[in-house]
Amino acid sequence: MGLLKKINALEPLWWSLFGLGGMIAAFILPVHLFLHGIAIPMGWVSPDLLSYERMMSVLSSPYGIIVKLFLFSIISFPLFHAAHRIRLTIEDLRIGWLNTIMPLISYGGAIVLSVITIVVLFYKLS
Amino acid sequence: MDIINHDILIVGGGGAGLRAAIAISQMSPSLKTAVISKVYPMRSHTVAAEGGSAAVLNDDDTHDLHAYDTIKGSDYLADQDAVEVFVRDATNEVRQIERWGCPWNREEDGTIAARWFGGMSRKRTLHAADKTGFHLLHALFQTSLKFDTLKRYDEWHVCALLVDNGKVGGVLALNTRTGVFSILSAKAVILCTGGVGRMYAFTSNAGIKTADGAALTYRAGGPIKDMEFIQFHPSGLMRTGILITEASRGEGGYLFNKDGKRFLENYAPSKMELAPRDIVSRSIIEEILAGRGFKGTYGSYIHLDLRHLGEAKIMEKLPMVRELCLDFAGMDPVYDPIPIRPTMHYTMGGIHCDKDGKTPMPGLFSAGEAACVSIHGANRLGSNSLTELLVFGARAGRTAVEYVSTAKPVSADKLQSLAKDRMDFIQKRYMKAGNGKEKIGAILSELRKTMDEKVGIYRTEEPLKEAIQIIQKLKERFNKITLTQQSRVFNTELTAAMELDNMLEIAHVIAMCAQVRKESRGGHARKDYPTRNDEQFLHHSLTYQGKDGPRRETFPVTITKWQPEERKY
Amino acid sequence: MKHTDNSITEPTKTYRRIMPNTWWLKKGSYTLFMLRELSSVFVAIYAIFLLIRLCALSQGAEIYNSKTAIFNSGWMIALHAVMWVFIMYHMITWFKISGRIFGKKPLSPGLVTIANYIVWVVVSVVLFLIITKG
Amino acid sequence: MAEEIKITVTRYNPDKEAELKTQTFTIPYHNDWSILDGLNYIKAELDGTLTYRWSCRMAVCGSCGMMVNGTPRLTCSTYLNEFYPGEITIEPLANFPIIRDLVVDLTDFMDKLKEVKPWIIRKNKSDENDTSKEYIQTTAQMDKYYQQTLCINCTLCYAACPVYGLHPDFIGPAVIALGYRYNNDSRDQGKDERRKFLASEDGVWKCTVVGDCTEVCPKHVDPSAVIQRTKVDNATNWFFSFLKGKK
Ligand SMILES: Cc1cc2nc3c(=O)[nH]c(=O)nc-3n(C[C@H](O)[C@H](O)[C@H](O)COP(=O)(O)OP(=O)(O)OC[C@H]3O[C@@H](n4cnc5c(N)ncnc54)[C@H](O)[C@@H]3O)c2cc1C
Ligand code: SF4
Ligand code: F3S
Ligand code: FES
């Protein structure tokens, strides 16, 4: 219980991350998803944009670090955004047993995935 | 029966009651103080006051001028010593409420702003848009919450004063929530129960204004004063009587008859729309009687025109007027004139008390509209009432604190036996009213119709006599009421019956005093005696409950500096 | 309250209504609210997809290309289309709320929301150009 | 035959029955009657036991809130003509315990109202009762909180907020708006004292921005927006005190 209490006490932090993630999701994800998930796979714009070679060259270019930071922020913050909302929604749906451990699962999940993102971006891919 | 002990009990959670409560809590936190109210305090009718609250703040103004305006407005029936105290304390009180958070409108430089109001010779009506009472009440209520020692009985209905040998020892009250009656004992009781408006059909008053305070005092043997003086406000919205504030004229609105004429030039050429309320109301009625009113489904009316003020000014200074018109008359004052006619508005009379809120009964105090100090005399100037709540609420509170420091409580045994008597009475009168078939609703509407028609703006001997007879008949019919509601929890039928009983009692007093006062003064206008008669009637009327109806005495008016003169505007 | 005497406040039985778990189906505005909350699930899924792509990228061309093939399949595109709709809904609601939060005098909520949309258009065009041309 | 309209109301009498019932009345239809006029007609003419609250009948006292066809409304300023010729269903305000018929228990709301310390707090206590002069406050400063002073405590927003229905400990829209009103008053210095309550576990963070509170508010207090602003404010404060090493 102690841990859960501590997590709850960090509410301002979770909420801020939620807000940041929500903003990124609102401003950036629509066009990003449209390109990566629909337009490029459909071939409306050049499919080569996502080819292995191009991706690697972009990431290792002098701007690579900026691209990596960008990728990190559109992965990690939206995850925190979702974590917070899902947690509160589970509470609103009153799924009792899940309720109590939800903070742990959701924020924990977002943290773990963010760490993986960092490892992949900044160690594996460098 | 349960007894709950207090030092001071305030009946009424409106402006006056709360101001008294705060004064006591500040002065003497160790006293057991409680506010008892039949509605949550912030629902009290002070919440509906719109136009403003008068006090001298500006350099071009003086306390003497404010006093003179008030006294002249009162048609010289006000007690001048009380008025002097009133205008002096007023200045501090409006600043105090500012310090407690009231969002008064401001001048450019951030000081409190004032507006014109009827009968005032200076701009001295402070306002918080046109929701002044609302802001004042919420500021008072919210400030009162900071006193942990102040107890509240919300939604408790006071049914009787418990009086031992003329001395007040507490009240008998019904907890509406549980339906249980209890004794709330106290060394001092301050009655702040508001006015009597609901006995009229066309009224600006809320459902709670049912003459309770006056009736409680009257039944307990105390005198009530000047009950014949009822104020009719010129601008009641057609059909409902909902008030369109005088500030709409203060900000420059015009009154037009159906010929498109600003008819006040025939009645009060120097002040026009800003003449005192009694005069403006009568002028409107004259116009309507002369056939110069507009005709509508709910009777004749005249126009209050704000269109020339423009949307921006209306939204800044009179937002509530617009809201009310849109919500309750389906029209927009920015584009159309408002249909209005005079509406019963304010009770100048009330529980007889002095400038410290003291009544002749030891332990009984009063403030606010329920009280008659009297600073309003025969006619109240608009915006003096909210200030009165503050000034005399605070004063009554302080007086009560002084009183309880030496007073002895009435013994518990005595209270029990007094309460038992009252309980028997209540049981018999309201709850087991036996074989009768009378309905509260029917008696009430008959009463309201009678008051509107026969004890209204203009009064004459014959209709007044008829009114008295009708009221007596209604009282008899009341003896045969049957409540359909016999269960305890939130029995609003029971409380409505008690309220109706109170109104019948006080309506009788009003009609009787109006009949006896054979002159016209302020709000009391006799068709058959159209002038003021200082020789015979420059006195207050004090009324006591007699064996068969009200017994009237007279009481001198205090005059200090301002000799009566003709009242012209 | 300092001097309460509890004996007189005998509690009355109040009736408590319990909200059914399906409360959010009872009212249009509540259902829209739930859909908005649901949009965050798709936001998360998209973020995870991106992470998967990056993992694949770090594991070499072969794995990356086979993953990309999956992402290019018809049902994946369909799934993305659904996700896109939800994310657009997220954006609309987000801008509306942010208008209300930041649209205090002298700004108005409408103004802030419009400003949001303008920024959004600019960001989208710039990103589009960078990703496709840069 | 004169026009008529049907009103169905919730009935509950704790002395008698354990469950809620409904009862339908047919009343004459007037196109300028409010729902409250209709209820008053029922009470006077048809059934004196029907129980509900009202007082000002001019939309300012906040007594007469009820669910009208499922939405919280002030019945004194909601008209029959909005529904005619359809039928009207009146229920007690949602999310509150019912005392009797259409009367709900507001104890919880009243307690919370006090908790937020809705009064001017000054560092120097003697300021609070100094009547020698007023505080200076410009109209621009007043604009910062004025909208939130307009709350009439009608609790419609509580009936509209599912979060309050689900978690009755949630402080709720109107009370948070009231805290905001004082926090943003240039005369007040009590923000830190109020924060303990507003930023507590049951405070602003519980709000999931459903937004219905703002939709139903008859006085345009916009609780939804000010709750979010209070979150921003509390989060900022949290980071600052974190940096200063207080947390
Ligand atoms: C529409 C309108 C507009 C007005 N505008 C202005 C204005 O602009 N300026 C101005 O100066 N004046 C104005 N007035 C007059 C002024 O508002 C009132 O005179 C004043 O508010 C009365 O306050 P009060 O505290 O005496 O009583 P109220 O506010 O009426 O409160 C009465 C209290 O007593 C309680 N009570 C009554 N009976 C019982 C009982 N039996 N048991 C328990 N509790 C009881 C009630 O619950 C309530 O709390 C206006 C009045 C009206 C009707
Ligand atoms: S915020 Fe609006 S809805 Fe809520 S109590 Fe206040 S006035 Fe009523
Ligand atoms: S409806 Fe409830 S969840 Fe928040 S925005 Fe309003 S308080
Ligand atoms: S009766 Fe006062 S708000 Fe409706």
Side-chain angles (χ1 to χ4, degrees):
Chain A
M1 269 343 265
L3 180 60
L4 285 172
K5 267 228 149 62
K6 282 219 176 78
I7 295 179
N8 285 336
L10 291 178
E11 203 71 73
L13 176 67
W14 305 132
W15 182 80
S16 304
L17 290 169
F18 156 82
L20 201 54
M23 202 151 79
I24 290 172
F27 278 111
I28 298 176
L29 290 198
V31 61
H32 199 268
L33 186 151
F34 179 75
L35 278 172
H36 288 64
I38 302 171
I40 298 175
M42 289 292 286
W44 296 339
V45 290
S46 158
D48 293 343
L49 286 173
L50 287 178
S51 73
Y52 182 78
E53 294 70 27
R54 182 165 182 276
M55 290 301 288
M56 289 309 271
S57 81
V58 167
L59 288 178
S60 53
S61 75
Y63 309 111
I65 182 73
I66 296 176
V67 176
K68 282 177 179 175
L69 284 174
F70 173 77
L71 285 170
F72 172 78
S73 61
I74 66 169
I75 294 176
S76 172
F77 293 119
L79 280 173
F80 279 101
H81 168 81
H84 188 72
R85 266 205 169 151
I86 293 169
R87 173 201 142 203
L88 290 175
T89 309
I90 296 285
E91 278 184 21
D92 286 351
L93 292 173
R94 281 190 303 211
I95 308 183
W97 55 274
L98 246 185
N99 266 347
T100 28
I101 50 167
M102 205 52 210
L104 199 62
I105 302 179
S106 60
Y107 302 129
I111 291 171
V112 168
L113 291 175
S114 297
V115 169
I116 295 178
T117 313
I118 292 175
V119 170
V120 170
L121 275 173
F122 297 98
Y123 293 92
K124 292 271 182 74
L125 281 171
S126 57
Chain B
M1 210 181 294
D2 280 313
I3 294 195
I4 317 164
N5 291 318
H6 309 84
D7 293 301
I8 305 179
L9 201 61
I10 297 145
V11 185
L18 291 172
R19 182 65 190 90
I22 294 175
I24 297 164
S25 305
Q26 273 183 332
M27 221 174 134
S28 205
S30 60
L31 290 178
K32 284 187 181 176
T33 310
V35 173
I36 173 168
S37 172
K38 64 182 176 182
V39 292
Y40 282 104
M42 70 281 186
R43 318 268 191 238
S44 301
H45 199 54
T46 301
V47 82
E50 301 168 18
S53 178
V56 174
L57 283 187
N58 288 339
D59 293 340
D60 70 339
D61 201 358
T62 66
H63 286 144
D64 267 6
L65 267 177
H66 188 189
Y68 172 68
D69 289 342
T70 303
I71 290 162
K72 182 175 172 198
S74 82
D75 227 345
Y76 294 91
L77 195 69
D79 286 321
Q80 302 187 355
D81 58 336
V83 175
E84 286 181 68
V85 162
F86 165 70
V87 295
R88 199 192 61 214
D89 282 14
T91 303
N92 287 339
E93 282 296 333
V94 297
R95 286 203 190 111
Q96 177 64 85
I97 191 89
E98 192 277 335
R99 296 226 153 203
W100 288 340
C102 181
W104 293 122
N105 275 31
R106 304 288 177 154
E107 300 286 358
E108 296 269 299
D109 65 357
T111 55
I112 303 174
R115 64 158 55 118
W116 288 109
F117 237 63
M120 300 282 185
S121 59
R122 291 286 184 277
K123 254 190 185 180
R124 67 166 76 94
T125 296
L126 319 185
H127 52 282
D130 54 357
K131 306 182 183 217
T132 312
F134 166 80
H135 286 302
L136 205 104
L137 184 68
H138 279 252
L140 281 170
F141 176 59
Q142 288 161 9
T143 301
S144 81
L145 294 175
K146 82 176 164 188
F147 300 99
D148 278 331
T149 52
L150 183 63
K151 187 170 160 61
R152 279 207 331 268
Y153 297 92
D154 293 338
E155 301 196 315
W156 283 54
H157 198 105
V158 173
C159 313
L161 289 175
L162 300 176
V163 180
D164 178 32
N165 258 332
K167 184 168 116 176
V168 174
V171 303
L172 175 70
L174 165 70
N175 178 351
T176 32
R177 164 102 193 238
T178 59
V180 176
F181 287 85
S182 305
I183 299 170
L184 308 191
S185 83
K187 291 189 226 167
V189 173
I190 310 180
L191 292 177
C192 306
T193 52
V196 309
R198 275 280 140 181
M199 65 175 70
Y200 285 83
F202 197 67
T203 176
S204 67
N205 284 198
I208 56 168
K209 306 201 79 161
T210 52
D212 293 9
L216 291 170
T217 311
Y218 185 69
R219 289 215 187 87
I224 48 181
K225 185 162 73 187
D226 289 346
M227 290 308 298
E228 63 271 41
F229 296 103
I230 300 288
Q231 178 166 78
F232 290 82
H233 193 292
S235 44
L237 207 53
M238 286 307 289
R239 188 178 86 83
T240 53
I242 287 174
L243 190 82
I244 299 301
T245 172
E246 182 164 315
S248 53
R249 278 170 289 131
E251 296 293 346
Y254 297 144
L255 294 178
F256 288 111
N257 63 17
K258 101 173 180 306
D259 308 330
K261 189 170 151 188
R262 280 177 72 191
F263 55 87
L264 276 163
E265 65 189 44
N266 298 342
Y267 303 89
S270 77
K271 286 241 151 189
M272 292 301 286
E273 278 83 359
L274 286 174
R277 289 179 181 171
D278 53 336
I279 293 174
V280 180
S281 289
R282 283 196 293 271
S283 313
I284 295 173
I285 295 296
E286 292 290 351
E287 289 297 301
I288 288 176
L289 289 177
R292 292 193 287 271
F294 301 86
K295 298 234 173 336
T297 343
Y298 296 96
S300 299
Y301 58 89
I302 56 117
H303 274 159
L304 168 61
D305 198 340
L306 303 183
R307 290 176 295 182
H308 56 284
L309 300 181
E311 178 163 0
K313 182 155 184 192
I314 292 177
M315 283 315 285
E316 188 200 336
K317 296 286 194 175
L318 305 166
M320 180 147 159
V321 167
R322 189 170 187 201
E323 222 176 285
L324 289 173
C325 289
L326 288 168
D327 278 357
F328 298 97
M331 48 81 49
D332 186 343
V334 172
Y335 306 108
D336 295 298
I338 311 170
I340 54 143
R341 82 176 160 90
T343 179
M344 186 286 168
H345 183 57
Y346 185 82
T347 319
M348 266 77 75
I351 300 159
H352 174 46
C353 66
D354 66 11
K355 59 181 187 295
D356 297 317
K358 232 193 244 146
T359 73
M361 295 170 81
L364 187 66
F365 303 84
S366 181
E369 192 172 343
C372 180
V373 169
S374 125
I375 58 161
H376 305 309
N379 173 58
R380 170 182 75 106
L381 289 190
S383 75
N384 264 352
S385 163
L386 288 178
T387 315
E388 174 193 21
L389 308 180
L390 300 173
V391 170
F392 292 102
R395 290 180 75 86
R398 290 188 208 113
T399 318
V401 170
E402 252 166 59
Y403 171 83
V404 297
S405 66
T406 55
K408 296 262 175 310
V410 173
S411 77
D413 289 345
K414 189 72 210 172
L415 287 174
Q416 286 287 6
S417 84
L418 288 166
K420 188 173 173 308
D421 287 352
R422 291 307 301 180
M423 257 334 280
D424 290 347
F425 174 82
I426 289 170
Q427 293 275 354
K428 218 166 66 214
R429 187 157 178 81
Y430 310 115
M431 289 150 100
K432 300 206 191 90
N435 51 359
K437 284 207 187 58
E438 292 290 351
K439 274 194 186 168
I440 311 177
I443 300 180
L444 179 61
S445 41
E446 177 87 33
L447 170 70
R448 300 179 76 189
K449 188 166 156 259
T450 309
M451 295 303 283
D452 267 17
E453 286 171 5
K454 301 184 197 296
V455 201
I457 297 189
Y458 279 117
R459 297 150 180 199
T460 347
E461 190 71 12
E462 274 317 306
L464 284 170
K465 282 192 173 145
E466 285 162 28
I468 295 171
Q469 278 168 4
I470 295 174
I471 293 167
Q472 274 167 330
K473 282 220 188 73
L474 291 176
K475 277 177 158 175
E476 276 159 31
R477 280 174 64 188
F478 187 89
N479 293 332
K480 300 196 208 95
I481 56 159
T482 300
L483 300 194
T484 48
Q485 166 94 300
Q486 294 296 343
S487 59
R488 303 196 303 175
V489 176
F490 234 95
N491 189 337
T492 47
E493 212 186 7
L494 170 61
T495 50
M498 297 195 281
E499 290 172 344
L500 174 58
D501 203 10
N502 292 342
M503 288 192 283
L504 284 170
E505 202 70 82
I506 300 306
H508 195 173
V509 175
I510 294 175
M512 189 273 241
C513 290
Q515 191 237 326
V516 174
R517 191 175 279 276
K518 294 184 181 10
E519 65 160 350
S520 289
R521 183 187 296 272
H524 174 66
R526 292 278 305 237
K527 274 257 148 161
D528 39 1
Y529 301 95
T531 52
R532 195 171 86 198
N533 180 346
D534 283 342
E535 229 147 83
Q536 272 182 289
F537 290 105
L538 183 56
H539 60 231
H540 298 294
S541 35
L542 284 196
T543 323
Y544 296 85
Q545 187 174 39
K547 263 205 287 305
D548 29 42
R551 174 167 61 78
R552 180 180 186 272
E553 289 178 6
T554 63
F555 190 79
V557 174
T558 309
I559 292 180
T560 57
K561 305 193 225 181
W562 295 277
Q563 288 308 315
E565 55 184 55
E566 197 197 346
R567 183 161 162 260
K568 260 205 328 239
Y569 289 95
Chain C
M1 291 191 192
K2 290 269 162 70
H3 49 88
T4 326
D5 178 338
N6 288 321
S7 62
I8 40 92
T9 40
E10 107 186 9
T12 25
K13 272 176 291 159
T14 50
Y15 186 93
R16 276 171 199 279
R17 290 162 289 181
I18 305 212
M19 266 173 115
N21 278 349
T22 50
W23 60 268
W24 50 280
L25 289 172
K26 306 274 173 203
K27 214 168 165 179
S29 58
Y30 292 174
T31 312
L32 286 177
F33 159 76
M34 264 306 165
L35 287 177
R36 188 191 80 192
E37 300 302 271
L38 182 63
S39 73
S40 71
V41 171
F42 294 103
V43 168
I45 293 176
Y46 186 63
I48 291 170
F49 281 178
L50 283 179
L51 183 54
I52 290 173
R53 285 183 195 238
L54 287 178
C55 283
L57 200 61
S58 74
Q59 286 165 314
E62 202 171 315
I63 295 187
Y64 181 76
N65 287 335
S66 70
K67 281 271 153 51
T68 306
I70 298 178
F71 278 109
N72 286 351
S73 64
W75 65 271
M76 259 305 207
I77 296 177
L79 174 65
H80 276 82
V82 172
M83 285 167 37
W84 187 75
V85 169
F86 272 95
I87 284 171
M88 288 301 279
Y89 185 58
H90 163 81
M91 177 206 67
I92 293 167
T93 54
W94 193 265
F95 288 171
K96 191 169 150 222
I97 294 167
S98 103
R100 285 228 297 267
I101 301 177
F102 300 106
K104 331 185 234 189
K105 278 189 183 176
L107 298 177
S108 75
L111 217 64
V112 173
T113 302
I114 290 169
N116 272 332
Y117 278 107
I118 293 172
V119 173
W120 178 79
V121 169
V122 172
V123 167
S124 299
V125 170
V126 169
L127 267 181
F128 186 90
L129 291 178
I130 291 180
I131 293 172
T132 54
K133 305 269 149 59
Chain D
M1 216 191 89
E3 295 162 294
E4 291 178 332
I5 186 164
K6 278 201 171 75
I7 299 190
T8 303
V9 295
T10 305
R11 304 299 309 254
Y12 171 65
N13 181 351
D15 284 351
K16 290 208 187 114
E17 58 253 346
E19 280 307 312
L20 303 186
K21 292 196 293 202
T22 59
Q23 188 177 0
T24 304
F25 296 97
T26 306
I27 63 162
Y29 170 74
H30 296 271
N31 95 75
D32 53 6
W33 271 19
S34 65
I35 290 185
L36 180 62
D37 290 326
L39 293 176
N40 285 342
Y41 177 87
I42 295 175
K43 190 167 180 74
E45 305 294 333
L46 305 177
D47 186 346
T49 66
L50 183 67
T51 307
Y52 50 94
R53 292 188 179 106
W54 70 281
S55 178
C56 71
R57 54 88 176 92
M58 54 191 276
V60 64
C61 76
S63 310
C64 67
M66 300 168 207
M67 305 300 282
V68 179
N69 287 357
T71 307
R73 304 284 290 269
L74 294 180
T75 48
C76 67
S77 58
T78 305
Y79 283 82
L80 298 179
N81 63 24
E82 191 182 323
F83 306 94
Y84 186 81
E87 299 183 7
I88 301 175
T89 305
I90 314 271
E91 296 159 294
L93 280 181
N95 300 338
F96 292 99
I98 303 170
I99 295 178
R100 156 134 217 197
D101 292 354
L102 300 165
V103 175
V104 294
D105 183 359
L106 295 179
T107 316
D108 176 56
F109 172 73
M110 295 301 287
D111 289 347
K112 287 171 179 161
L113 194 70
K114 181 174 175 170
E115 288 290 314
V116 78
K117 301 190 187 229
W119 51 79
I120 300 275
I121 298 174
R122 299 286 290 191
K123 299 251 150 65
N124 179 358
K125 292 289 159 203
S126 64
D127 287 355
E128 289 168 16
N129 301 309
D130 176 2
T131 58
S132 64
K133 58 179 185 309
E134 68 262 40
Y135 298 119
I136 297 299
Q137 181 169 69
T138 61
T139 307
Q141 287 172 321
M142 212 164 111
D143 279 347
K144 291 203 161 56
Y145 70 90
Y146 187 72
Q147 196 183 351
Q148 282 67 45
T149 64
L150 297 176
C151 170
I152 59 173
N153 297 352
C154 63
T155 66
L156 298 191
C157 50
Y158 284 74
C161 176
V163 174
Y164 180 64
L166 293 160
H167 316 281
D169 289 335
F170 174 41
I171 294 174
V175 170
I176 298 176
L178 189 61
Y180 179 93
R181 173 249 177 275
Y182 279 96
N183 281 345
N184 288 279
D185 189 327
S186 60
R187 298 169 289 186
D188 182 84
Q189 303 170 331
K191 202 173 186 172
D192 293 333
E193 282 187 45
R194 282 181 208 107
R195 182 170 285 119
K196 284 188 218 77
F197 182 61
L198 287 174
S200 66
E201 206 181 316
D202 298 316
V204 286
W205 307 118
K206 269 244 148 47
C207 161
T208 51
V209 208
V210 177
D212 279 32
C213 51
T214 288
E215 298 301 322
V216 302
C217 176
K219 298 293 156 184
H220 311 294
V221 172
D222 203 352
S224 170
V226 300
I227 295 172
Q228 314 323 315
R229 287 183 208 157
T230 310
K231 286 181 189 167
V232 174
D233 185 69
N234 282 328
T236 326
N237 179 269
W238 185 85
F239 278 107
F240 273 116
S241 45
F242 186 79
L243 289 180
K244 281 196 214 128
K246 275 195 218 147
K247 286 261 160 80

